[in-house]
Amino acid sequence: MSIDITQFYQVFFEEAAEHLSTMESLLLALDVGDPSMDDLNAIFRSAHSIKGGSGTFGFNDMTEVTHVLENLLDRLRKQEMKLTDEMVNVFLEAGDVIHMQLDAHRGEGEVDAAQVKTVCEKLERLTCNVGGQPAHTPAVAIPTTAAAETAYGLFEDEPAAAETAYGFFDAEPAEKSSGDDAYGFFDDAVFDAPAKVDEPAYGFFTEEPAAAAPVVVADQSFGLFVDEPTQLPSTPQQAQQETQQGYGFFQKITPVAQESAPVAKEVVEAEAPRRRASDRTAPAADTSIRVNVEKVDQLINLVGELVITQAMLAESASTVDSGLYEKLQSGLHQLERNTRDLQEVIMSVRMLPISFVFSRFPRVVRDLAGKLGKQVELKTLGEGTELDKGLIEKIADPLTHLVRNSLDHGIESPERRLAAGKPEKGTITLKASHQGGNIVIEVADDGGGLNRAKILGKARERGLAMRDDMTDAEVWMLIFEAGFSTAEVITDVSGRGVGMDVVKRNIGAMGGRVEIDSVEGHGTRILIRLPLTLAILDGLSVAVGEQTYIIPLGYIIESLLMSDDDLRTVSGGGHMVHVRGEYLPLMALHEVFNVPNANVKKDARIVVIVEAEGKKIAVLVDELLGQHQVVIKSLESNFRKLPGISGATIMGNGKVALILDVAALSSVPARQSKLAA
Amino acid sequence: MATEIGSGVSNLSNNEFLTFTLGSEEYGLDILKVQEIRGYDAVTSIANMPEFIKGVVNLRGTIVPIVDLRIKFKMSQVVYDQFTVVIILNFGHRVVGIVVDSVSDVLTLKPEQIRAAPELSAALDTRYILGLGTVDERMLILVDIENLMTSGEMALTDEVVNG
């Protein structure tokens, strides 16, 4: 094994993180009174995979924790002891600890050694608590002594290395269970095939030292394994369990495989069809590969180019005689369809289901509800709704904040709920759905709702801009002001008034909006509207002189024709436009951007009213061209940031159009309007 | 000075230069910095920029700024027609286009053909000149194009906000 394994660290990190989240979600779904064996086994396998991987890569601290964790899990799944709430909590804590260690190995954050120790001790205590100690004492002792650790590392590493030899696609053969990784199946196929020839039950063992070659002590290994009680019973059982239960996944498909290959009958029992199933169905299964995001973005760029080229071809071809060049025309039509399909597919590559974000909330809610002494049920709907990967990453924090907020301020204590005639258990609903070109994420609770009088009182206290005749919706938006909190008691969960303004700002930065809906006594609903993707923007193209600019649609309130009567001059040279009782500052784009030959019709000026950060501006343009979905391109990668411009895009004719940064537009240093220009 | 320039030249990965003309002067730049050569069209101008920044173009999906070196070097005649040439330069992390009068050829210079640049009071600061190359009767001004294009006075980077 002279290969440099550091190159595989990243794979291990990603996979370990996946295992941790699998483990966590399984733990949270676990019914403590009557845990399902499948789940316990799956949790065990996740822990085991992390242990195997960390051993291989020499992350001994992780190996130690997972080892202790595994001991307890192993006893549970062999039904030597009963699962308790305490155990689940400790398991979750252990998961956190491993995560912390993982982050530390990644070079992000540090390990809190005391916490690691506490968790290990808790785990060990629980493991030894109920019966059967003698056999397990050595196991617990192993990770604590350095010498034993090495010994353990020795033989644990070898099989792990054998696994990783195939594995680096999927280093952990335990992924037999997961069924969501195609490479995992190949591993199994490899392992199972020889296993069948020799001794099915122990195939796992026999095969491994063989593949790992350098293990001289093939038969002694058995003796060694005795020191490791968790290993010995676990693996054969795991192997057996596979043989007996198969992967639920494969069994469903087996009949199909048999039909297509009746020869399989000759081969002994279920083993063969299963192998065949894995051979045949692997490509069709839920396969996935890891691809660098940059590559995907590159693809998106190239397809964007292709679409533009295709549009240009179509335009030139529209001038030729379609009678003479019939084949050319039909070929171009074909090209158009193909490029559209291609674009659609490639855009979808960047999309991820929102369950990536939602999946963290059961844990958040569970922990927090426990801390606050509230009973809360979390419902998630529409987890399959897809949105851009970039948005997924950015929406997680604001959503977490909103959920915590709902839990802390929204849901009342069980007593209060009962008194109000509501069920003791509160409900928080997370829902995602598509609405037009937007994705709508809803965080709803059936708690106390917002109190108008209280918010107004608080706003007055804080000196926020407010009126008494504000609509409810306007009042609710006040809670997004900086430093606003109506919580009676400031807790460590929330109530310091930091955060809601950040939530709003973050969502705004993603091009989204927040809306609140609340009925006192019945609950609050917060809606987040986001564009489907960061890479594409809906915009209105406007002409100014020979230039085209894009105004993001989200900022536009209306466009209208303005006559000279609506124009007011302000001392200092500025102009205001009178629009239905409001005076808005007028900004002539050709002056802001010094565009020559602007063609503003004096009698019918076209203005676009935009609103950003609560300020409305009237933007004067020559002409409205149309509404487009444009692909946002960075100006900064080769050039630099420009005042008043948020990016650029490429129009159908191949020219570059600049996208206005509406929020920054008003502060662009421009000579004051001289409308006559 | 001489040693400095000598090291600058030997730092070049090879001694092949793309030569181009600006007015009556002939310049050379490291061929490895050149991505492609194309015509001048469809430039989107940008407000409040120095005159020599003509704007940005779409280069197969990438937004690339275009600098007219003729304006930068104060050439008297600046016309844009079908013969106007843009050299697209790639510095690894940035892509920039420069407009020149014409592109001539690619020359390989031996170290002994390269001499240190005299202190010129030209439009081009000596800092950005690697040296002078002589080929037969021709004299080439070898430009340190990457340093020039990323320097503050080109206003192409974010460091100079008030360009």
Side-chain angles (χ1 to χ4, degrees):
Chain A
M1 297 294 281
S2 62
I3 40 167
D4 174 18
I5 60 167
T6 53
Q7 60 181 308
F8 302 113
Y9 278 5
Q10 195 51 41
V11 179
F12 166 68
F13 290 151
E14 281 172 26
E15 276 171 358
E18 264 170 36
H19 289 309
L20 280 174
S21 66
T22 318
M23 208 165 91
E24 190 178 294
S25 56
L26 285 167
L27 278 169
L28 290 167
L30 214 53
D31 176 359
V32 177
D34 179 22
S36 118
M37 268 301 126
D38 288 350
D39 288 350
L40 282 179
N41 280 321
I43 297 170
F44 176 83
R45 279 191 298 263
S46 293
H48 185 65
S49 309
I50 299 171
K51 178 171 124 178
S54 57
T56 312
F57 291 104
F59 301 140
N60 290 334
D61 53 342
M62 288 176 71
T63 322
E64 273 173 45
V65 180
T66 40
H67 178 74
V68 200
L69 175 68
E70 208 184 60
N71 284 346
L72 181 54
L73 280 168
D74 189 43
R75 302 202 56 191
L76 281 174
R77 81 191 179 121
K78 283 189 276 166
Q79 295 181 305
E80 284 175 23
M81 49 207 305
K82 279 245 171 288
L83 184 70
T84 62
D85 260 328
E86 191 193 355
M87 288 182 190
V88 176
N89 286 335
V90 176
F91 287 152
L92 288 172
E93 277 173 41
D96 291 344
V97 163
I98 299 168
H99 217 286
M100 181 170 74
Q101 292 172 327
L102 191 64
D103 285 346
H105 286 303
R106 274 178 172 167
E108 304 160 359
E110 281 173 14
V111 174
D112 177 355
Q115 198 185 336
V116 177
K117 201 157 167 260
T118 327
V119 169
C120 285
E121 277 166 7
K122 276 190 199 168
L123 283 169
E124 282 172 23
R125 186 172 47 76
L126 284 169
T127 318
C128 302
N129 240 355
V130 200
Q133 286 96 330
H136 285 263
T137 328
V140 177
I142 282 169
T144 53
T145 72
E149 177 58 32
T150 338
Y152 146 78
L154 234 179
F155 79 70
E156 174 64 12
D157 276 6
E158 287 308 336
E163 291 157 20
T164 35
Y166 300 97
F168 290 126
F169 316 109
D170 181 354
E172 288 83 345
E175 281 6 309
K176 290 164 178 82
S177 63
S178 74
D180 57 6
D181 197 322
Y183 295 118
F185 297 150
F186 292 126
D187 282 355
D188 293 340
V190 176
F191 277 113
D192 288 343
K196 191 193 63 190
V197 183
D198 304 331
E199 327 151 47
Y202 287 83
F204 201 33
F205 280 91
T206 343
E207 175 58 9
E208 272 174 359
V215 180
V216 203
V217 284
D219 37 5
Q220 280 178 21
S221 70
F222 213 79
L224 279 172
F225 275 122
V226 181
D227 292 338
E228 254 285 272
T230 53
Q231 281 310 103
L232 175 58
S234 73
T235 327
Q237 191 183 336
Q238 198 173 325
Q240 251 169 17
Q241 183 208 342
E242 275 154 31
T243 323
Q244 288 158 2
Q245 305 179 344
Y247 331 125
F249 193 50
F250 278 133
Q251 284 197 327
K252 278 182 215 150
I253 327 170
T254 306
V256 184
Q258 261 172 334
E259 269 170 41
S260 58
V263 206
K265 281 199 167 178
E266 293 165 22
V267 198
V268 203
E269 294 179 2
E271 195 74 20
R274 210 184 67 193
R275 206 177 84 225
R276 283 183 171 274
S278 64
D279 286 347
R280 293 187 164 250
T281 54
D286 184 10
T287 54
S288 63
I289 52 169
R290 289 178 200 284
V291 180
N292 192 329
V293 179
E294 265 177 39
K295 282 190 186 169
V296 175
D297 288 346
Q298 225 173 337
L299 267 182
I300 291 178
N301 266 344
L302 288 173
V303 163
E305 276 306 293
L306 185 63
V307 170
I308 291 165
T309 315
Q310 177 268 324
M312 269 160 27
L313 274 179
E315 202 182 306
S316 348
S318 63
T319 56
V320 303
D321 186 341
S322 52
L324 284 172
Y325 299 97
E326 199 186 325
K327 274 197 175 156
L328 176 71
Q329 295 280 9
S330 71
L332 282 170
H333 282 302
Q334 184 85 27
L335 179 68
E336 183 179 344
R337 272 199 300 277
N338 292 345
T339 39
R340 299 264 168 236
D341 288 352
L342 186 64
Q343 189 186 28
E344 217 164 273
V345 172
I346 287 184
M347 293 308 282
S348 74
V349 172
R350 262 189 76 96
M351 306 295 256
L352 290 176
I354 197 155
S355 56
F356 275 76
V357 186
F358 281 5
S359 61
R360 68 164 67 183
F361 290 114
R363 175 76 191 274
V364 171
V365 169
R366 185 185 192 275
D367 285 1
L368 204 58
K371 209 188 268 179
L372 295 169
K374 293 179 179 178
Q375 294 183 16
V376 183
E377 186 190 352
L378 179 77
K379 281 189 189 161
T380 52
L381 296 165
E383 295 107 319
T385 313
E386 291 192 324
L387 73 165
D388 191 89
K389 181 178 155 56
L391 285 173
I392 290 256
E393 282 157 8
K394 287 187 186 157
I395 194 68
D397 282 347
L399 263 189
T400 312
H401 197 91
L402 290 176
V403 169
R404 289 170 73 98
N405 219 59
S406 285
L407 230 165
D408 194 18
H409 303 317
I411 305 282
E412 314 94 324
S413 59
E415 305 84 59
R416 256 209 237 178
R417 291 185 63 88
L418 283 175
K422 293 196 225 176
E424 217 176 336
K425 204 169 198 179
T427 309
I428 292 182
T429 313
L430 277 174
K431 190 169 135 191
S433 58
H434 283 298
Q435 273 180 25
N438 287 321
I439 179 156
V440 180
I441 304 169
E442 183 182 315
V443 182
D445 64 66
D446 65 347
L450 295 172
N451 182 323
R452 185 183 163 102
K454 213 153 113 189
I455 293 175
L456 284 176
K458 200 85 176 184
R460 201 167 289 127
E461 209 175 281
R462 298 256 167 198
L464 298 174
M466 51 163 292
R467 309 180 309 273
D468 279 331
D469 61 345
M470 283 165 102
T471 63
D472 276 355
E474 285 171 318
V475 174
W476 306 149
M477 289 315 280
L478 286 174
I479 67 168
F480 287 112
E481 297 292 328
F484 198 93
S485 173
T486 53
E488 285 143 52
V489 189
I490 289 177
T491 63
D492 65 337
V493 180
S494 49
R496 291 187 193 279
V498 181
M500 283 306 251
D501 58 321
V502 179
V503 168
K504 193 184 172 200
R505 203 175 326 127
N506 287 353
I507 291 170
M510 284 180 255
R513 282 203 317 263
V514 195
E515 290 163 25
I516 306 185
D517 208 357
S518 180
V519 178
E520 197 173 349
H522 288 90
T524 308
R525 193 171 60 153
I526 298 177
L527 290 177
I528 303 173
R529 272 174 213 284
L530 291 175
L532 272 183
T533 152
L534 286 179
I536 286 187
L537 170 140
D538 270 309
L540 177 74
S541 57
V542 297
V544 180
E546 281 158 15
Q547 300 282 348
T548 306
Y549 291 94
I550 308 286
I551 307 178
L553 221 49
Y555 291 108
I556 298 179
I557 298 174
E558 60 181 331
S559 314
L560 39 88
L561 275 179
M562 181 192 80
S563 70
D564 270 345
D565 304 339
D566 301 325
L567 205 63
R568 302 282 187 283
T569 314
V570 183
S571 62
H575 290 275
M576 301 293 269
V577 189
H578 183 231
V579 182
R580 287 193 286 279
E582 259 183 300
Y583 285 95
L584 307 176
L586 181 73
M587 180 166 270
L589 268 197
H590 65 269
E591 281 165 11
V592 178
F593 294 115
N594 287 325
V595 181
N597 311 326
N599 177 26
V600 176
K601 296 173 195 72
K602 279 205 174 152
D603 48 339
R605 296 190 172 93
I606 299 170
V607 292
V608 181
I609 314 285
V610 293
E611 180 175 7
E613 288 165 9
K615 279 191 289 185
K616 286 185 188 172
I617 319 173
V619 178
L620 178 68
V621 301
D622 287 5
E623 206 181 329
L624 303 180
L625 296 176
Q627 189 182 323
H628 309 268
Q629 279 210 326
V630 298
V631 180
I632 302 172
K633 304 271 179 182
S634 161
L635 269 174
E636 277 124 282
S637 55
N638 288 319
F639 195 26
R640 56 183 239 195
K641 221 175 150 29
L642 296 171
I645 301 292
S646 66
T649 189
I650 293 160
M651 304 300 289
N653 59 7
K655 280 196 79 167
V656 178
L658 300 174
I659 302 170
L660 298 187
D661 182 350
V662 175
L665 203 56
S666 52
S667 56
V668 174
R671 288 163 300 154
Q672 276 308 329
S673 298
K674 284 173 279 145
L675 273 186
Chain B
M1 196 70 199
T3 53
E4 204 178 77
I5 282 155
S7 70
V9 173
S10 63
N11 276 347
L12 291 173
S13 35
N14 71 346
N15 283 338
E16 275 191 278
F17 293 89
L18 177 77
T19 65
F20 58 92
T21 58
L22 284 173
S24 54
E25 287 161 11
E26 205 169 358
Y27 291 82
L29 56 85
D30 181 3
I31 189 83
L32 292 185
K33 301 274 194 287
V34 178
Q35 177 179 313
E36 62 189 271
I37 295 165
R38 63 202 309 268
Y40 179 94
D41 68 334
V43 177
T44 300
S45 67
I46 288 173
N48 310 323
M49 284 287 126
E51 202 192 346
F52 56 83
I53 297 187
K54 296 308 295 177
V56 289
V57 295
N58 157 31
L59 187 73
R60 291 183 297 283
T62 318
I63 309 283
V64 176
I66 301 290
V67 173
D68 195 330
L69 281 191
R70 300 175 298 179
I71 302 175
K72 176 68 187 164
F73 293 165
K74 304 187 174 65
M75 299 292 149
S76 51
Q77 282 205 323
V78 176
V79 283
Y80 298 98
D81 54 28
Q82 67 265 44
F83 304 112
T84 308
V85 181
V86 179
I87 304 175
I88 305 291
L89 303 165
N90 192 331
F91 305 139
H93 55 291
R94 288 183 99 86
V95 183
V96 178
I98 53 171
V99 182
V100 297
D101 274 335
S102 69
V103 172
S104 334
D105 49 8
V106 178
L107 292 175
T108 308
L109 294 184
K110 296 189 190 75
E112 58 266 26
Q113 287 176 286
I114 302 173
R115 279 179 289 123
E119 288 292 334
L120 301 164
S121 59
L124 187 56
D125 196 305
T126 331
R127 269 182 298 165
Y128 308 120
I129 299 179
L130 290 172
L132 296 178
T134 37
V135 182
D136 304 327
E137 292 304 298
R138 293 154 69 189
M139 186 195 75
L140 288 177
I141 304 170
L142 305 179
V143 190
D144 186 350
I145 197 73
E146 180 162 1
N147 259 335
L148 175 66
M149 298 315 283
T150 50
S151 69
E153 64 184 272
M154 296 309 282
L156 281 172
T157 48
D158 271 328
E159 285 82 4
V160 273
V161 181
N162 46 3

